Amino acid sequence: MAVSTDAPYVLVTGGTGFIGSHTVLVLLSQGFRVVVVDNLCNSCEEPLRRVEKLAGLSSRVPFHKVDLTDREGLRGVFQQHSIGSVIHFAALKAVGESVQKPLAYYRNNVAGTLNLMDTMAEFGVKNIVFSSSATVYEAVYEGLPLREDNPLGCTSPYGRTKLFTESVIRDTVDASEGVNAIMLRYFNPTGAHESGTMGEAPLQAFPNNLMPYVSQVAIGKLPEVHVFGSDYNTRDGTGVRDYIHVMDLAEAHVIALKRLAENHGYEIFNLGSGNGQTVLEMIRAMSEACGRDIPYKIDPRRPGDIDTILCEPSKAAKVLGFTVRRDLKQMCTDLWRWQQANPNGYE
């Protein structure tokens, strides 16, 4: 689809990251104009070059290396571009790191959002989709699927920054006429673009998330997967989580963006499949995708981990018309295609 030359821009913060870059691609493919802001602390510009190629663009996606804590730098972006709405991804996101560096997380994630909301208000931008997280929910040990009205409570500074940010946005909506916001609380994104040219490229020596870790063991960069705990109350003793393909997730953000135009105020939606896989099931599925055994080692449980975390996705299906379209096999196949073609990520 041709990109409009006169429509307002969608500002995507954190748009060079894993989910952000895939969302930029979906936006462009549906005719939106996009401007990207990212401080590149956990990413690089290369994903945008690949987005441009996949989208068939003849020009560059406007990009600004700006930290959201830099108010004047952010104002400069709004001054340069006619922005009509925002999809907000930019955040530090490692749970363990947030415990070690809480002030950095509050400064970046919460203070950065305050600057963003202030700047949106200054320039009359009234619509925002916030990329939130299932970490905002109170830990539930019964293994019941989490609904949007479940009790909220966080076990890490990272989770609290997401919850505080939701509160900032909600209070802004309540206090402002015509402001609309959608919170998307998603669970465990994985997979990659089906072309194999875009995917998750963690900069850490040992990835924080399971599937990049598994894929790096499969490619031979790491010796084995460490499985934390085998005595949970699940079908094989390892933890159950709800995984969602990154392209499903990207498409959901664009669906939410379109809904903002209907002026529903403040809304919250869970994004997930409603079906969970154990850690060992994920390792086996990846092993089938790559055609080789993936070694793993059982280690003791980590503090704070629970048996099962599942999404109750019916609200998103009913209101947004969103359900996941890509299954576990496609997640692993796409992830393996990306990992094989890009063993060192975007380097």
Side-chain angles (χ1 to χ4, degrees), residues 177-212:
E177 184 176 353
V179 175
N180 302 284
I182 291 179
M183 310 294 102
L184 296 180
R185 295 172 179 166
Y186 51 85
F187 288 65
N188 294 67
T190 188
H193 189 265
E194 62 183 10
S195 67
T197 61
M198 293 174 59
E200 188 169 9
L203 300 181
Q204 303 86 358
F206 292 91
N208 292 304
N209 297 325
L210 173 65
M211 292 310 287

